[in-house]
Amino acid sequence: MQTISVVDSHTGGEPTRIIVADGPPLGNGPLAERLSHFREHFDEIRAAVINEPRGSDVLVGGLLCEPHDRSCHAGILFFNNTGYLNMCGHGTIGLLVTLRWLQKITPGVWRIDTPVGVVEATLLDDHRVSLRNVPSWRYRKAVSVDVPGHGKVTGDIAWGGNWFYLVNDHGRDLRLSDWKGLTEFTLEIRAALERAGITGAGGGEIDHIELFGPGTAGHADSRNFVLCPGGAYDRSPCGTGTSAKLACLAADGKFPAGSVWRQESIVGSVFEGSWQPASETIPDAAGPVIIPTITGTAWVTGEARLILQDSDPFRTGIRAI
Ligand code: PYC
């Protein structure tokens, strides 16, 4: 029998499950190497922690580990029902609130090692976290694709720690009651991008699709619907997705550095985002490279010891995908 200790939280409605003890042994190498090791040798642990009957498609997991970069306080590897994430904004906010719950950190600035670089996150109080994300940038503006049954859809491709296709002009109301329709539509967009061979820079898979509409009056600048890699929609406004959005706004000269963008999710939770110019240049970027700061809130929802018994036919979860 194997046991794995986890702490569950939600950030703006989107759940995160952090493995805080008894995770797989991945060594002390750089986080990107450890992620490959996780994928190649311990994928069953990912599946057991995330998938039913212990988890669900909506859950994002995080393996808390020792950092490789010694200037960092912690390392994190994110995963979901279909595989692994480079970075996760709502998950990092959940991580800090989890570390606070465990009394491992106090309010202040903490450096977190990830497979795509170091991020700095500030615990503002027991629930509120500001995340300084990885450099974010727009790769292509106004890329069109034919989506069967829906016609031509046009969007920008941008990096915010994951690859996003961001669509403003889609003719749909972003209502939670239509989550099934929005999920089907965005899955079709993603399949059409794949068929057309449209990717992020260096062939990076575009695994997140983001639709934007007007924010609820007086509440937010914009509302979004975000399709995640495993087919679930993000209940939060998506930290990496909001970073990609800020990169597009900056590239279009529509939103000045230092101002606060209020991004509302499909369930009505809000992240505040702002940006500063980054010092690095990226030759592929169609616009400035920015450093986004994303602020949101999270709450711990449970602590558990997951039990994986050898005789359990679903010891490693139900794999629907
Ligand atoms: O907040 O970056 C995010 C995220 C990615 C996938 C789900 N949430």
Side-chain angles (χ1 to χ4, degrees):
M1 183 178 95
Q2 184 176 2
T3 62
I4 299 173
S5 297
V6 298
V7 175
D8 287 354
S9 61
H10 79 83
T11 305
E14 178 78 350
T16 308
R17 171 168 286 172
I18 303 285
I19 299 179
V20 293
D22 311 317
L26 302 178
N28 300 316
L31 274 278
E33 262 175 32
R34 279 189 244 175
L35 188 67
S36 305
H37 198 66
F38 197 173
R39 183 185 282 118
E40 279 158 32
H41 301 286
F42 295 101
D43 195 55
E44 289 192 341
I45 300 292
R46 174 195 65 77
V49 168
I50 285 293
N51 289 336
E52 295 177 14
R54 296 174 194 79
S56 83
D57 283 0
V58 188
L59 202 51
V60 169
L63 172 63
L64 176 63
C65 47
E66 287 298 315
H68 177 69
D69 182 321
R70 288 289 144 196
S71 71
C72 290
H73 178 75
I76 188 79
L77 299 174
F78 287 113
F79 50 94
N80 64 11
N81 56 337
T82 189
Y84 299 83
L85 288 163
N86 292 300
M87 186 25 211
C88 182
H90 94 265
T92 306
I93 294 170
L95 168 67
L96 259 79
V97 167
T98 294
L99 292 174
R100 175 62 175 158
W101 174 262
L102 296 172
Q103 300 193 338
K104 287 184 187 290
I105 61 171
T106 51
V109 182
W110 301 94
R111 284 169 65 79
I112 312 291
D113 208 356
T114 83
V116 285
V118 173
V119 298
E120 252 180 33
T122 305
L123 181 70
L124 299 166
D125 60 33
D126 286 354
H127 300 289
R128 197 164 173 77
V129 175
S130 236
L131 161 69
R132 196 178 136 90
N133 198 8
V134 295
S136 301
W137 45 286
R138 182 166 71 188
Y139 172 52
R140 295 270 187 271
K141 181 178 165 65
V143 176
S144 296
V145 65
D146 270 318
V147 182
H150 299 280
K152 190 170 85 167
V153 173
T154 301
D156 290 359
I157 301 172
W159 172 259
N162 293 297
W163 282 111
F164 288 83
Y165 184 67
L166 301 95
V167 184
N168 292 319
D169 189 9
H170 43 74
R172 321 258 322 203
D173 275 347
L174 301 187
R175 281 179 289 106
L176 182 57
S177 56
D178 188 29
W179 69 267
K180 279 189 186 156
L182 294 168
T183 300
E184 276 162 25
F185 178 46
T186 46
L187 281 169
E188 282 176 27
I189 295 176
R190 194 167 67 189
L193 290 171
E194 198 183 328
R195 275 194 304 276
I198 296 170
T199 66
E205 182 191 358
I206 300 171
D207 51 6
H208 292 74
I209 308 293
E210 220 173 342
L211 307 178
F212 293 92
T216 304
H219 189 53
D221 295 293
S222 159
R223 183 178 177 90
N224 68 9
F225 176 89
V226 184
L227 177 76
C228 294
Y233 67 90
D234 198 332
R235 276 64 171 163
S236 86
C238 193
T240 50
T242 302
S243 300
K245 173 71 176 175
L246 289 168
C248 294
L249 288 167
D252 286 333
K254 284 186 177 162
F255 196 69
S259 298
V260 176
W261 180 263
R262 289 174 60 78
Q263 183 65 58
E264 183 183 10
S265 75
I266 193 71
V267 307
S269 53
V270 173
F271 283 171
E272 288 178 356
S274 63
W275 66 274
Q276 295 296 329
S279 50
E280 53 262 82
T281 51
I282 293 179
D284 280 335
V289 183
I290 66 161
I291 300 292
T293 298
I294 306 293
T295 303
T297 46
W299 277 263
V300 167
T301 53
E303 284 184 284
R305 203 161 59 97
L306 303 181
I307 295 175
L308 283 62
Q309 299 183 70
D310 293 340
S311 58
D312 180 351
F314 294 117
R315 181 179 181 278
T316 57
I318 300 169
R319 290 170 184 257
I321 298 173

